[in-house]
Structures are given as C-alpha cells and as structure tokens.
Amino acid sequence: GAGVSQSPSNKVTEKGKDVELRCDPISGHTALYWYRQRLGQGLEFLIYFQGNSAPDKSGLPSDRFSAERTGESVSTLTIQRTQQEDSAVYLCASSPTALYEKLFFGSGTQLSVL
Amino acid sequence: QQQVKQSPQSLIVQKGGISIINCAYENTAFDYFPWYQQFPGKGPALLIAIRPDVSEKKEGRFTISFNKSAKQFSLHIMDSQPGDSATYFCAASSRRALTFGSGTRLQVQP
C-alpha cells in the first residue's frame, strides 16, 4: 500500500509569493499532522486534524499559515506572503486513529524562499 | 519553550559499539515517549516507544531506558552498525501532537 505522499517534493519561490503544499495521507487514517523541520533542527508542530473535529492550530507560527483538510483525505498547507525564514522542510504525517502512537511521515516538501 | 531537550547533537561510534542518546522533558503530563529514526531525504519513522509505567523497553538492538523521577529517557543502540547512521529524534506527548527533541546525528564508522 502507498505511504503518505507529499507534493511537490521541492518548491522554490520568491519572497512575498504564496505557496500551497499538498499531503495525501494513508487511506483510512483519521489523524493528519503538519510539522516544519528547519535545517539541522527538530520537528516543529504546526497543525493537527482529527476526523471532523476542529483542527488544533496551536502550532501555526503566524496568520500567514493556514491549512485545510477535506474529510479524512487530502490536506493542503498554505503559506501566504512567504518570507525567507519560512524556508524549511514541511512534513506531513498521518496515523490510523485518534491515538498518536505511530505517525507515518511523508518525505516532505523542501521549501526554499529566495 | 523547548519542552524536550536532546543530547548530544552529534555522535560518532565505531561499528559494534554502543550508541547512547539522552532526552529530558519538563511537562509531567507527557505519557508517551517514542524515538524516531530519519534517513536523509526521508521522513522520520517510528523506531521504538515507551510509556512511563515501565522503566525499560527492548526491541532487538534498541533499548529505551526511562527514569520518571528524573524526567529523563534514553535510547541505547547495541552493536551499532553503519546502517544505523541516521538522525534520531526523541519525542513526547500528552494526548496531542508529538513534541520532538532537536535530533542527534549518529555516524557509525565501519
């Protein structure tokens, strides 16, 4: 079966432009997470979706960041008016239940803001 | 505020040696402590995890030691192999998204 799929794998954009990152979770997984990984650093929690519940947006660093998820399928992370400090790998993960025991990560989107 | 502190930042071990990575946490509400392994260009993958009701968990060459009173836990990799060369992240959770440590880059020399 397919794992978590993220697209694009690499994105280069100019400062001030908007970008949209996509995540296709493993089929049947109800929970979906977005994390940010800056070069040489740990994973920074951004947002968490669980089924039809209101998402946990407590990790979003500013109002330039937003995310949506359609039911229990695809999610998109949007960054408006990108800044150079937004450059990072954006990782998506899904898990089969509301429990967080095992997260399955995608390979990430490498975002470079010039 | 960094809730999970991980050390060392990098580690070089000879093949066959023991690799030890340490983590400390602050939030006493954490009740689940996994370790993730990440190879270059890939997302992290769950390696082993422990809950605070036990002090040790072993899976093959990988062991987690947990000290609840000290709020510390560590990963031990026995008989380290070059294929273990990767970045290792500890994490902790209290029924929400995982909080990750900053990572340890392990290099096992042949």
Side-chain angles (χ1 to χ4, degrees), chain B residues 15 19-20 48 56 59 67-68 74-77 103 105 107:
Chain B
K15 179 182 177 182
S19 304
I20 302 175
I48 186 172
E56 185 176 283
E59 291 184 1
N67 186 329
K68 187 174 182 178
S74 60
L75 176 69
H76 295 230
I77 306 175
R105 187 171 180 176
Q107 183 180 348

Side-chain angles (χ1 to χ4, degrees), chain A residues 35 37 56 58 100-101 103, chain B residues 31-32 51 95-96 98:
Chain A
Y35 283 85
Q37 185 174 25
D56 178 351
S58 60
Y100 43 74
E101 266 72 0
L103 267 58
Chain B
D31 61 357
Y32 174 68
R51 291 198 180 274
R95 302 188 181 281
R96 66 183 295 274
L98 291 172

